[in-house]
Amino acid sequence: MARASRRDRVAAPLAWAAGVAAVALGAGLGELVAAVVSPSSSPVAAIGGALIDLAPPWAKDAAIALFGTGDKAALLTGIAIGMIVLAALAGWLEARVPPWGVVVVAAFGTGGAIIAVTRPGAGALAWLPAVVAGAVGAVALGLLVRMLRPRPAETPAAPAGTESDPQERTGAETRRLVPAHDGVSHPPSAPADPREPAASPPSRRAFFAWAGAATAVGVLAIAIGGLRTTASAGVAAARRALRLPEPRMAASPAPAGAELDLPGLARVVTPNDRFYRIDTALIVPELDPADWRLRIHGMVAHEVELTWDELLALPLQESWTTLTCVSNEVGGDLIGNARWLGYPVRELLARAVPDADADMVLSRSIDGFTASTPLEALTDARDAILAVGMNGEPLPLEHGFPVRMVVPGLYGYVSATKWVVDLEVTRFDRATAYWTTRGWSARGPIKLESRIDVPRRGQGLKAGEVVIAGVAWQQQVGIDAVEVRIDEGEWRPATLAAAISDDTWVQWSMPWAADKGDHVIQCRATSKAGEVQTDEVAPPAPDGATGWHWRTVSVF
Ligand SMILES: Nc1nc2c(c(=O)[nH]1)N[C@H]1C(S)=C(S)[C@@H](COP(=O)(O)O)O[C@H]1N2
Ligand SMILES: [Mo]
């Protein structure tokens, strides 16, 4: 391609616009193809998933600390911004040193395809959306930047209809569609002097029309593809149609008085739609119960396989367990309590008969996530279950439908595998779980913690009688007492609400005669084992945060 002279250089903002429009169109069509092929093959999801897996532990920690359960939206926004910047850069490259912009876009498509096929659970066509995205983006970029260049007049316009090169044809169509150009004093397109043909100036209006159309189609396609992906029609419908069997052993209802019912205090039973969600899955895996299989293997005498129907035919039992994330900061809300319905993992392991020297079960999700749970926690008397129900309904898709693990007393990252399909009986010195390879502890017993919920942060308080209330937990151990102190004065005992069980959090409250001024409220719990919650401040990594929760309030 001829080097553009200085005079007919494409203005940089137009080149950026060409890049963004081309990539929007490519990415949009890629998302559409992904919606048809399989949601998790979406190039954006594949790249996001890879970023999540490759991110250093401090980055995951920072993301969760900053955005909480909005971490995925934040990541997607970041990817979108990154793509726009790269797209603009590709447009600029294509204008200045063609065909390098096209090459860059095609290379990103190829890279995205490679990432998509190497994601866990990738289907046979996982490469297709990214290839479509890259190819469409590259061709569109070439065409759009071409429209920004003056056409040498001596090149005869191709006769319409016989042209085979699509690039040429679009150019020809453009000429026909938009005969006028930007209206400034350009020389007429027919050269005055036949020996010195003037270049015909590019039509900016045509460019904007095509670039705008490409962007609009791209954005629309992303929206449609995204909708299809989140609606996950088939599996969501299968879930809605499901009726779970009655438990053989029902959990006793939460005792009267377990719920203090104070505005601002976390409900003792967390509604499913308010339950925190933490996982590495940008796109919620769609696992049809009819296709679900659990394989128990590794260091066992007998391999065990279980289908959905077989699981539901077993005597299911209910249990209350409060789930907690290791990334929960002191005072954080990555914790929730539910009534789970499931089958004891202990019973399934008894069928498999683990080898005497096995000490760990590596549970694996359909999306590749793994958790290392001490074998003992799955064989002792606690309610470690393969859960199918949550608060009286099938598991919500984002909480692991159709089957997940729930193990009281352990942080989620070492126990609560969602969309679980595989249990490998092994040893801690032979296998390593997802977060352990990223610097988190291989074992994660939940630490003794307590939290102040009310008065709420920034809540204006009138002097007089005020209620301080919150929650405290150490699953498997239980809470014996919570104390509160104001302005580092004496620790005074709070009143514990009735506990559902030692595997759940418990609410607490204390009346306080508040006088005017700024005050600091602190709380600490004592476990049934006699442990007093430490004031030693530890961050979430590598095995859970510690310290006292405190809150400052202003009383008027
Ligand atoms: N498949 C899968 N399961 C997973 C995770 C994950 O990333 N992928 N995260 C774990 C972590 S870190 C926690 S705290 C719990 C959270 O469960 P929830 O989202 O239902 O609250 O799920 C666990 N199970
Ligand atoms: Mo977690």
Side-chain angles (χ1 to χ4, degrees):
M1 194 167 283
R3 257 313 159 93
S5 76
R6 232 187 123 64
R7 214 182 55 96
D8 11 279
R9 265 201 173 179
V10 175
L14 290 180
W16 301 337
V20 172
V23 169
L25 181 66
L29 296 188
E31 292 303 309
L32 265 193
V33 174
V36 176
V37 172
S38 90
S40 57
S41 68
S42 141
V44 172
I47 293 169
L51 284 177
I52 291 172
D53 289 354
L54 294 174
W58 60 261
K60 176 244 186 191
D61 208 31
I64 291 178
L66 259 178
F67 306 113
T69 50
D71 57 344
K72 289 179 187 66
L75 176 66
L76 288 175
T77 308
I79 293 176
I81 292 171
M83 281 177 70
I84 290 171
V85 170
L86 279 172
L89 191 73
W92 182 84
L93 275 177
E94 183 61 18
R96 290 296 134 90
V97 280
W100 283 105
V102 166
V103 169
V104 164
V105 173
F108 271 96
T110 313
I114 292 171
I115 291 172
V117 292
T118 50
R119 298 296 302 151
L125 286 177
W127 53 273
L128 188 61
V131 165
V132 167
V136 170
V139 170
L141 178 62
L143 290 174
L144 284 171
V145 169
R146 227 180 130 106
M147 295 181 69
L148 290 170
R149 291 218 164 80
R151 271 176 300 277
E154 72 267 43
T155 310
T162 59
E163 191 50 67
S164 58
D165 178 353
Q167 299 199 6
E168 284 295 340
R169 196 138 58 101
T170 307
E173 266 162 23
T174 307
R175 252 163 278 163
R176 269 180 278 117
L177 274 174
V178 190
H181 33 81
D182 39 358
V184 211
S185 57
H186 288 297
S189 47
D193 182 346
R195 282 170 309 145
E196 227 186 309
S200 86
S203 161
R204 288 201 180 176
R205 228 193 285 170
F207 169 77
F208 283 124
W210 284 99
T215 311
V217 170
V219 169
L220 196 70
I222 289 173
I224 295 171
L227 274 186
R228 159 66 183 79
T229 303
T230 46
S232 54
V235 173
R239 176 180 177 276
R240 272 194 302 275
L242 239 173
R243 286 289 158 269
L244 290 177
E246 289 297 311
R248 186 71 61 89
M249 244 171 56
S252 26
E259 177 56 81
L260 296 178
D261 203 13
L262 295 171
L265 174 62
R267 307 255 299 271
V268 72
V269 181
T270 314
N272 288 356
D273 59 0
R274 303 274 306 270
F275 209 96
Y276 82 98
R277 173 189 167 202
I278 289 291
D279 54 58
T280 59
L282 258 192
I283 303 265
V284 175
E286 290 183 34
L287 189 45
D288 194 314
D291 300 331
W292 181 84
R293 298 266 181 299
L294 180 78
R295 200 175 146 233
I296 304 176
H297 62 109
M299 299 171 67
V300 294
H302 316 285
E303 282 203 10
V304 173
E305 241 201 49
L306 197 69
T307 65
W308 173 251
D309 288 338
E310 287 165 349
L311 174 59
L312 288 200
L314 293 168
L316 304 183
Q317 63 182 50
E318 276 182 333
S319 47
W320 293 101
T321 296
T322 297
L323 225 58
T324 312
C325 182
V326 69
S327 294
N328 197 37
E329 304 273 357
V330 172
D333 57 5
L334 301 179
I335 176 167
N337 182 43
R339 179 168 45 90
W340 306 94
L341 173 70
Y343 187 70
V345 179
R346 177 191 335 114
E347 302 292 339
L348 295 172
L349 286 173
R351 288 196 210 171
V353 189
D355 295 354
D357 54 342
D359 65 2
M360 188 258 269
V361 172
L362 191 74
S363 54
R364 183 181 298 273
S365 157
I366 185 85
D367 70 354
F369 170 89
T370 51
S372 54
T373 312
L375 181 61
E376 205 196 329
L378 299 175
T379 49
D380 66 16
R382 80 183 81 190
D383 294 320
I385 57 168
L386 275 180
V388 296
M390 182 176 182
N391 288 329
E393 335 172 349
L395 293 175
L397 299 194
E398 61 273 24
H399 293 291
F401 183 80
V403 184
R404 75 174 303 168
M405 300 247 296
V406 172
V407 183
L410 303 179
Y411 287 121
Y413 83 109
V414 288
S415 68
T417 303
K418 306 191 268 190
W419 316 289
V420 66
V421 290
D422 190 286
L423 300 182
E424 181 187 351
V425 179
T426 177
R427 294 178 49 87
F428 276 101
D429 58 15
R430 287 192 197 163
T432 315
Y434 186 92
W435 285 114
T436 310
T437 59
R438 289 161 176 82
W440 294 73
S441 174
R443 296 164 197 259
I446 293 175
K447 295 178 178 175
L448 174 63
E449 271 297 326
S450 57
R451 184 181 82 190
I452 304 160
D453 281 4
V454 284
R456 276 169 279 181
R457 212 177 331 191
Q459 180 186 341
L461 284 183
K462 279 218 195 83
E465 188 83 341
V466 164
V467 176
I468 302 172
V471 283
W473 62 90
Q474 187 176 28
Q475 295 88 320
Q476 278 288 286
V477 182
I479 297 298
D480 194 44
V482 171
E483 296 162 292
V484 175
R485 70 176 184 180
I486 311 289
D487 301 331
E488 311 208 358
E490 290 275 289
W491 286 107
R492 289 195 294 133
T495 305
L496 289 188
I500 297 178
S501 81
D502 288 343
D503 289 335
T504 67
W505 61 8
V506 59
Q507 296 182 340
W508 56 264
S509 71
M510 200 186 81
W512 171 41
D515 51 7
K516 281 189 187 147
D518 290 345
H519 300 285
V520 179
I521 306 172
Q522 290 173 295
C523 68
R524 70 174 185 194
T526 301
S527 77
K528 285 188 179 170
E531 182 192 349
V532 179
Q533 184 184 332
T534 177
D535 66 338
E536 206 171 297
V537 174
D543 62 359
T546 59
W548 293 335
H549 188 210
W550 56 271
R551 175 161 291 176
T552 50
V553 290
S554 299
V555 181
F556 303 98

